[in-house]
Amino acid sequence: MTIDSSVKKNWIDVQKKHDVPVNAIGVKISPKDEKTLRVWKDEGIDQFVKR
């Protein structure tokens, strides 16, 4: 499953501001939400977590 490039770019920008996994609108992703976490990791958004 791939996401639109504009959504991915926005998601990366939002993720850079947070130190926990967040969705594309900045809401923390629940550890129980395996689908979103899988997309988050598969799309490489996990590399942009604020450290």
Side-chain angles (χ1 to χ4, degrees), residues 1-50:
M1 178 172 150
T2 59
I3 57 176
D4 187 78
S5 62
S6 64
V7 173
K8 184 174 180 177
K9 181 182 179 302
N10 180 59
W11 196 350
I12 289 170
D13 291 342
V14 171
Q15 183 61 70
K16 287 179 180 179
K17 300 174 187 174
H18 296 86
D19 57 357
V20 295
V22 295
N23 62 19
I25 58 172
V27 177
K28 182 180 175 183
I29 301 171
S30 170
K32 295 179 183 179
D33 188 355
E34 295 176 9
K35 274 186 162 181
T36 305
L37 284 172
R38 187 174 318 117
V39 172
W40 180 77
K41 188 157 184 89
D42 290 348
E43 292 292 331
I45 310 299
D46 60 330
Q47 300 173 28
F48 299 97
V49 173
K50 182 178 176 183

